[in-house]
Amino acid sequence: MEQTALRPKPMPGQEPAGAAPATGPGPSRPRPHAARRRGRRLLNVLLAGCTGAVLVLSGIGLGAMGATVLGKGGRFDPQGWHSVSLSGPSPAAVPSAPAAATLGVQVMDARKPGAVVVGLHVPGPAQAAGLVRGDVLLAFGTTRIDTAADLVRAVARTRPGSEVRLTVRHRSGGYEQLTLVPAVAA
């Protein structure tokens, strides 16, 4: 038997005498490392996909958690809205706590004095009284409303079920006085 290390190798394009021609353009030996590389590449792609899915889902979860926490109190919204749905502590925590009132509106500061209605709870006291989006609340009872915070404070002092007169400037420019009965905040 001949030793392979000492056997001369043919030049590319030349075949030794008596050897069969190669069937393909590349080497005839199988490449054992190619399968391992493919396996690693597939594993890396799967790992990256799973990591991306976990990051996206955790971001969605954190965003929903933040919206829930900020939305619960109803007093702060990133766009500057103030929700007038003031809810006190739960009745189980403080049994003698007075019930808080709500108008069922979301308001924000107007350019001029007043609070602009940007959202209505349907059904709700404000919707029943005839308020619509775009109305500007100027007075709540005898209290003048310069900002949305003034309206929040005025509603907090009101007892649910008592009638209150609202002075409203409509989007069309007309003024109107509406009677509204604040409800109990749930």
Side-chain angles (χ1 to χ4, degrees):
M1 191 183 244
E2 213 177 285
Q3 299 237 347
T4 58
L6 300 176
R7 183 175 52 194
K9 296 187 178 173
M11 294 291 289
Q14 295 177 353
E15 297 174 6
T23 57
S28 59
R29 287 186 291 160
R31 296 177 44 184
H33 300 295
R36 266 194 274 165
R37 272 193 234 124
R38 268 193 308 268
R40 270 195 215 135
R41 193 173 301 140
L42 180 62
L43 182 65
N44 285 341
V45 168
L46 288 175
L47 184 63
C50 289
T51 303
V54 166
L55 289 175
V56 167
L57 292 176
S58 65
I60 291 171
L62 288 175
M65 175 79 71
T68 302
V69 168
L70 290 178
K72 277 287 189 203
R75 292 191 177 104
F76 176 76
D77 194 349
Q79 297 175 350
W81 296 4
H82 297 271
S83 179
V84 185
S85 148
L86 300 174
S87 58
S90 66
V94 181
S96 63
T102 180
L103 299 181
V105 295
Q106 289 181 333
V107 293
M108 63 182 267
D109 293 342
R111 295 177 199 259
K112 299 177 183 176
V116 178
V117 176
V118 293
L120 290 167
H121 298 196
V122 177
Q127 188 251 344
L131 282 174
V132 294
R133 289 182 65 200
D135 286 349
V136 178
L137 302 174
L138 301 171
F140 183 82
T142 58
T143 307
R144 180 180 165 172
I145 305 298
D146 289 326
T147 63
D150 292 340
L151 180 64
V152 170
R153 284 190 290 273
V155 171
R157 290 189 302 261
T158 305
R159 291 181 44 221
S162 61
E163 287 189 353
V164 178
R165 299 283 284 177
L166 289 176
T167 304
V168 178
R169 182 176 64 230
H170 294 292
R171 188 179 282 178
S172 63
Y175 290 84
E176 184 178 7
Q177 290 213 343
L178 302 172
T179 303
L180 184 126
V181 179
V184 175

